[in-house]
Amino acid sequence: MASGKVSEVVVEGYDKYRSYIWGEGEKNTVWRFGAPPTYDIVNKLFEEGRTQEWAVGTLEEKVQRLLKSWEMEIFHKVRPQDFKTLNPETFTSSINGSPAAKLEDVLGIGGYNAFLQTTLPVNLRAYDPSQETSESSQLVFRGTFLRGFAIEVLEVYSDAPEIVYKFRHWAYMEGPFKGHAPTGELVEFYGTAIFTLDESMKLEKVQIFYDPNVLLGQLLKGPLLDVGEASTTSTTTSGCPFLRS
C-alpha cells in the first residue's frame, strides 16, 4: 500500500463494494490520479473492522454500495460527465447544515476539504481546508491512514427517494497528522446522512451530519514531532496515491 508502480497495482477487475470503476462505461473516464483506484487494502480493513455484514440485495447493502461508489467518484473522478451515482446538473451537498454546494464546487476544493469546512477562527483550526488543495488534502490523510479510511452503513431508516441512514467511518492512525506523531490507535466517528434521489435514481442532494471535532481530536492525541522528524515521516508515509482511498 505504501508504494508501487501503477502497472503493479492498477489491474482491471471487480470491486465487491463499489460500482463505476471498471467496465465499458468507464473507458473514457478521466481519473484524478491518472488511473482507476484500487481498494484491496481498505476493503480488507473494512472486512476486518465492520460491525455489520449486509446480505447482497438488501436495502442496507444497496445503500452502502451507493455510499461507497459516490465517495469513490467524489475523490477520484475529475469531470462531472463521468459521474454515474449522481445527476451532475442538479446535484448539491451540504455538511452539518452548511449552504448547499454544487458538484463543481466540491470537485474544486476536494472531498476532504468539503467535508471539513469550518467557521472556526483560523488560529483555532487543527486542519484548515482553506489552506489545502484537493491533492494536498488527500496526501495528508493518506499519509495518516496508511490502510485507508473504511466506511460502513449501520442502519437505514427510510428507502428512496429520501434515504436516511447512520454510518461509521474508521481507520488507524499509523502515520503523522499535521506534525502530531502517529498513535497506532483506532480513529472512528459516527454520523447520519440523507440521500435524496431523483426520478432516475441518481443522487440529487446529499446531506451529512457528524462532529468533525471527534475525528480531529483523535488525530491530535500524539505528541508534536520536531520539524525535521515531521518532514521526514510525512515524506516516507505519503506513498502512492493509487493505493489508498
Side-chain angles (χ1 to χ4, degrees):
M1 180 173 176
S3 63
K5 297 178 180 179
V6 175
S7 61
E8 294 174 338
V9 299
V10 180
V11 180
E12 183 168 353
Y14 170 74
D15 189 287
K16 291 186 289 184
Y17 306 111
R18 297 165 188 82
S19 304
Y20 313 124
I21 301 177
W22 305 104
E24 188 69 16
E26 304 305 322
K27 67 178 183 179
N28 296 318
T29 295
V30 175
W31 298 97
R32 185 171 297 278
F33 295 104
T38 179
Y39 284 88
D40 292 348
I41 293 174
V42 75
N43 282 349
K44 184 173 186 293
L45 176 68
F46 167 73
E47 291 169 351
E48 292 173 346
R50 61 187 169 186
T51 62
Q52 305 288 341
E53 187 170 354
W54 304 116
V56 175
T58 60
L59 175 61
E60 292 82 2
E61 186 270 338
K62 290 178 180 178
V63 173
Q64 184 168 267
R65 173 173 287 274
L66 176 59
L67 168 61
K68 288 175 178 285
S69 300
W70 170 72
E71 190 178 66
M72 176 277 297
E73 291 193 312
I74 287 291
F75 279 89
H76 289 278
K77 292 185 177 180
V78 176
R79 304 184 305 178
Q81 63 264 38
D82 292 330
F83 280 68
K84 309 297 191 304
T85 60
L86 55 79
N87 183 338
E89 300 297 324
T90 61
F91 176 81
T92 63
S93 65
S94 68
I95 308 297
N96 295 323
S98 64
K102 295 181 179 181
L103 178 59
E104 291 82 357
D105 300 326
V106 176
L107 293 179
I109 63 175
Y112 283 116
N113 292 330
F115 298 144
L116 290 168
Q117 290 294 303
T118 178
T119 57
L120 284 173
V122 172
N123 63 313
L124 297 180
R125 297 179 184 181
Y127 175 88
D128 189 352
S130 70
Q131 299 300 310
E132 303 285 349
T133 65
S134 177
E135 288 72 19
S136 71
S137 66
Q138 293 207 40
L139 289 175
V140 167
F141 284 95
R142 284 170 175 163
T144 301
F145 301 145
L146 301 184
R147 286 182 280 166
F149 204 5
I151 192 168
E152 68 172 335
V153 166
L154 298 176
E155 190 170 359
V156 179
Y157 303 110
S158 62
D159 199 349
E162 190 166 87
I163 302 170
V164 182
Y165 65 91
K166 182 179 181 181
F167 67 89
R168 169 179 172 251
H169 231 322
W170 76 97
Y172 285 87
M173 189 187 180
E174 296 166 323
F177 178 80
K178 293 297 180 179
H180 287 264
T183 63
E185 296 179 358
L186 174 68
V187 173
E188 64 179 344
F189 68 88
Y190 297 81
T192 302
I194 304 171
F195 277 179
T196 303
L197 280 65
D198 64 15
E199 294 180 353
S200 300
M201 300 304 286
K202 301 288 186 181
L203 286 168
E204 190 168 52
K205 180 165 66 174
V206 169
Q207 301 171 76
I208 298 174
F209 302 90
Y210 80 106
D211 186 351
N213 295 318
V214 172
L215 167 63
L216 295 173
Q218 295 173 83
L219 298 178
L220 302 178
K221 291 172 63 176
L224 284 170
L225 300 165
D226 64 50
V227 176
E229 186 179 5
S231 176
T232 301
T233 307
S234 178
T235 300
T236 56
T237 58
S238 60
C240 176
F242 292 97
L243 301 178
R244 293 186 296 279
S245 305

